[in-house]
Amino acid sequence: MLDDFMTRATLAGIGVAFAAAPLGCFVVWRRMAYFGDATAHAAILGVALSLAFEVSIFPGTLAVALIMAMTVTQLAGRGYAMDTLLGVMAHSALAFGLVAVSFLSGIRLDLMSYLFGDILAVSRTDLLVIWGGAAIVVALITSRWAALLASTLNEDLAYASGFNPKREQLILTMCLAITVAVAIKVVGVLLIAALLIIPAAAARGTARTPEAMAVIAAAIGAVSAVAGLRGAYLFDTPAGPSIVCVAAIIFAVLSLARLGIERSG
Amino acid sequence: MTLVTVTKLSVAYGANTVLRDVELAVSAGEIVTIVGPNGSGKTSLLRAIIGATPPAKGTVQLKPGLKVGYVPQRLHIDPTLPITVERFMRLTAPADRRACTEALQAVGMPDLLTRQMSQLSGGQFQRVLLARALINEPDILLLDEATQGLDQPGSAAFYRQIEAVREQTGCAVLMISHDLHVVMSASDRVVCLNGHVCCQGTPAVVASAPEYRALFGAGTGGALALYRHDHDHHHHSSSKAAE
C-alpha cells in the first residue's frame, strides 16, 4: 500500500494535519500566528545548515526552529514588542538561510521544494518521521491539556491551580518547532503557518468548547489534505498550496454559512 | 488554624521594590480585605501568595494541602476561544455537572450552564468566576478586585454573595478592594497597604487610623463618614502602625 506515492503523500498530509490542529488552536487563542510564521522561516536556515554539515534535514530544522522559538520567548517583554522582535528574527533567519544556501554550490538544491514543500516525494522514512513527530505533539498537548488551557485563559489562574504557565509556554514552543520540522516536506516553509491557523479558524464557528474546536480543526485539516492532493492530481497543480487552498475554501464556506445563520436567525 | 502565613515578604520587579517586609496571616474562616492606593503592591502580594511572583526576600507559607479558590482581577477570553460556562467551571478541577450546577446556584446564577462565556454580562461573568473558584470547596478564596467593572449595587450584591458563601462553607476570604465602604463593613480585618503594611485591624480601627486617612484623604469622605457614624463607639486596642 505504501508503494503508491499518492498514498504516502495522503498519509503524510493527514499526519501533519493532526499535529497542526490542536497546536493551531492554541496558536489562534494565544495570538501566536506570527510566531508560527517566524519559527517556520527560521527553518530554512536549518535546511541550509543541515545540507552544509551533511546531516539529515529533520534534526537540523528542528534544532534551528527550537533555538529560534526559545530565543523569541526569552527576549519577549524585554523592551521590544513581540511583533517587532518576531519580524526581526523571522526575516533575518530567512535571509541568512537563503544566503547560506547560495554558498552550497556543490549541492544541487531545489530551494522551491523547501519553500513550498514536496509532499509527492515523501518516502517511507519521511512518513515515519512525520507520524512520529505528530504523535509526540498530540501526546504532549493532550497530556497537558488542562494546564495549557488554564495558562492560555489566565496565567494567574493557572498559578493558583498549581500549574506553571512558563513551562506550558515552553511546551507549546517545542510543539511548534516539531510541527514545523515535520511539516516542511509537506507544505513547505511558507505555508506551514496556514496549516496551523486556517483549520483552527474554520473550526471556531461550529465549536462550543475548546476540545470540540481542536477535533473539528483536525477533521478540516485531514479533509483539506485528502481533497487538496486529489485536486493537485486531477488539475496538475502544486500539492502543498492545493492543500492550503482547500482549507481556505472550507474556511470561507463555513464563515459565510455562519454569517447567513446569524443574519436569518 | 493559620492557612496563609506571609513573613517579612519583599517583592521586587528589577530594581523596583513594590513590597517591603510585609507580614500577614489569614486564619480559617476569616474575611481579610487589603486596601491601598494604586501601585501599593496589593496585586503583587496576592500574586506572591499564589506563587506567580517569587519573593525577593521573606517567605509565603501555605498550610499543606491548602485548597485555593482564585478569582482574578479580570479575565479576558479571546473571542476565538469557544467555551461554555460548564466547561469553564471544570477548567482546573474535575467536577461533574451536578457540582457545576450547585456552584452556580451558590452564586445565584443557576441557569447559565450551557451559555458561552463570551455572551455573559459583566455581573454574570464575575459570578461565574466566583462559582469556578468555589467548585473544589476551597479552604480560602483569593479575590483580586473581583468587582471591577460592576456598578455599586452590583458589587454590593457580589460582596453579599461572598459573605453568604463564607457562612455556608466556612472558607476564609482574602480580597483586594477599591470599594472601601462596602468592603470594610464585610471584613473581619482590614489591612492597609502602601508598599508596606501601614495599619491593620477591624474596619472601625483602620477607618479611624491616621495612616489610613493620610492615604485615602477626604476623597472617600462621604462613605467613610457614614461608616464612622455607625461604628465610632467601638474602640479596639489592636490598632497597629507599622511605621
Side-chain angles (χ1 to χ4, degrees):
Chain A
M1 181 182 90
L2 292 178
D3 291 339
D4 178 23
F5 74 95
M6 275 302 278
T7 311
R8 289 198 302 271
T10 308
L11 286 175
I14 293 172
V16 170
F18 282 169
L23 182 60
C25 288
F26 282 105
V27 167
V28 167
W29 296 334
R30 298 168 78 109
R31 312 214 155 189
M32 289 165 63
Y34 203 32
F35 197 106
D37 247 352
T39 309
H41 287 176
I44 206 74
L45 183 59
V47 169
L49 292 176
S50 308
L51 293 170
F53 294 105
E54 290 174 353
V55 295
S56 69
I57 303 289
F58 177 73
T61 47
L62 181 64
V64 174
L66 209 54
I67 290 168
M68 164 79 185
M70 301 246 240
T71 311
V72 172
T73 311
Q74 286 300 314
L75 287 178
R78 294 191 188 172
Y80 291 106
M82 189 65 159
D83 61 339
T84 308
L85 198 59
L86 286 171
V88 171
M89 297 284 290
H91 299 112
S92 329
L94 183 60
F96 276 110
L98 294 173
V99 168
V101 166
S102 73
F103 282 117
L104 302 169
S105 53
I107 305 160
R108 215 182 122 259
L109 172 65
D110 180 10
L111 195 59
M112 285 292 277
S113 73
Y114 295 105
L115 289 177
F116 295 107
D118 194 4
I119 191 173
L120 300 181
V122 163
S123 69
R124 282 163 186 253
T125 321
D126 292 333
L127 209 51
L128 210 63
V129 168
I130 289 170
W131 276 85
I136 291 172
V137 168
V138 171
L140 268 175
I141 291 184
T142 45
S143 67
R144 306 215 49 83
W145 185 263
L148 285 166
L149 197 58
S151 308
T152 300
L153 276 164
N154 185 282
E155 292 205 345
D156 287 348
L157 205 66
Y159 275 119
S161 308
F163 301 130
N164 182 352
K166 294 217 167 63
R167 192 176 58 199
E168 307 311 326
Q169 167 78 44
L170 190 66
I171 285 171
L172 280 183
T173 304
M174 279 167 51
C175 288
L176 200 56
I178 295 173
T179 306
V180 164
V182 301
I184 246 187
K185 193 113 191 181
V186 177
V187 286
V189 167
L190 294 181
L191 291 175
I192 287 171
L195 217 52
L196 283 169
I197 293 154
I198 299 176
R204 168 62 184 98
T206 44
R208 287 183 51 78
T209 61
E211 292 77 15
M213 182 161 152
V215 171
I216 296 170
I220 292 173
V223 168
S224 306
V226 173
L229 280 168
R230 190 76 205 142
Y233 184 77
L234 286 176
F235 305 114
D236 194 21
T237 50
S242 302
I243 294 174
V244 175
C245 287
V246 173
I249 291 168
I250 295 176
F251 171 80
V253 169
L254 286 178
S255 301
L256 287 173
R258 193 179 174 209
L259 214 62
I261 292 167
E262 276 170 10
R263 286 269 167 82
S264 65
Chain B
M1 183 174 36
T2 311
L3 305 180
V4 175
T5 314
V6 174
T7 316
K8 291 220 170 291
L9 175 74
S10 294
V11 171
Y13 300 111
N16 180 22
T17 303
V18 292
L19 284 177
R20 187 171 285 120
D21 287 335
V22 171
E23 304 265 341
L24 178 74
V26 183
S27 307
E30 209 182 7
I31 297 187
V32 178
T33 301
I34 302 170
V35 297
N38 286 337
S40 59
K42 304 186 295 287
T43 296
S44 298
L45 176 55
L46 214 58
R47 295 192 79 229
I49 291 174
I50 61 170
T53 305
K57 267 187 241 143
T59 56
V60 173
Q61 275 178 299
L62 305 183
K63 191 182 76 120
L66 185 76
K67 280 195 281 186
V68 173
Y70 177 71
V71 182
Q73 186 169 29
R74 59 171 168 254
L75 193 146
H76 169 76
I77 295 186
D78 197 278
T80 59
L81 205 171
I83 189 162
T84 58
V85 170
E86 182 181 5
R87 179 65 189 86
F88 180 75
M89 302 277 291
R90 290 188 278 104
L91 186 64
T92 56
D96 55 17
R97 175 164 283 207
R98 227 188 84 220
C100 294
T101 313
E102 280 173 9
L104 284 172
Q105 264 162 1
V107 300
M109 295 275 141
D111 303 322
L112 295 179
L113 211 56
T114 58
R115 295 272 291 278
Q116 284 285 310
M117 289 296 286
S118 55
Q119 294 170 345
L120 302 182
S121 72
Q124 288 172 330
F125 198 98
Q126 288 309 115
R127 286 175 188 227
V128 169
L129 286 183
L130 178 60
R132 191 210 65 84
L134 291 172
I135 205 159
N136 65 342
E137 294 168 348
D139 307 307
I140 183 166
L141 268 180
L142 301 176
L143 298 100
D144 187 357
E145 288 183 39
T147 59
Q148 215 182 40
L150 299 187
D151 56 15
Q152 199 112 46
S155 44
F158 189 82
Y159 287 126
R160 276 199 299 277
Q161 209 79 62
I162 288 168
E163 277 188 271
V165 163
R166 201 263 303 250
E167 291 296 311
Q168 284 160 22
T169 67
C171 72
V173 179
L174 175 62
M175 62 181 158
I176 291 175
S177 186
H178 272 327
D179 310 323
L180 304 173
H181 171 55
V182 193
V183 161
M184 288 185 90
S185 54
S187 315
D188 298 315
R189 197 147 56 87
V190 175
V191 177
C192 181
L193 200 67
N194 188 24
H196 57 274
V197 176
C198 291
C199 55
Q200 62 173 316
T202 61
V205 166
V206 171
S208 57
E211 295 88 352
Y212 178 84
R213 299 241 198 120
L215 272 180
F216 289 100
T220 55
L224 287 175
L226 184 69
Y227 191 84
R228 282 204 305 278
H229 270 292
D230 291 338
H231 293 274
D232 60 4
H233 55 281
H234 285 296
H235 290 282
H236 289 263
S237 53
S238 61
S239 176
K240 173 183 126 198
E243 284 181 12

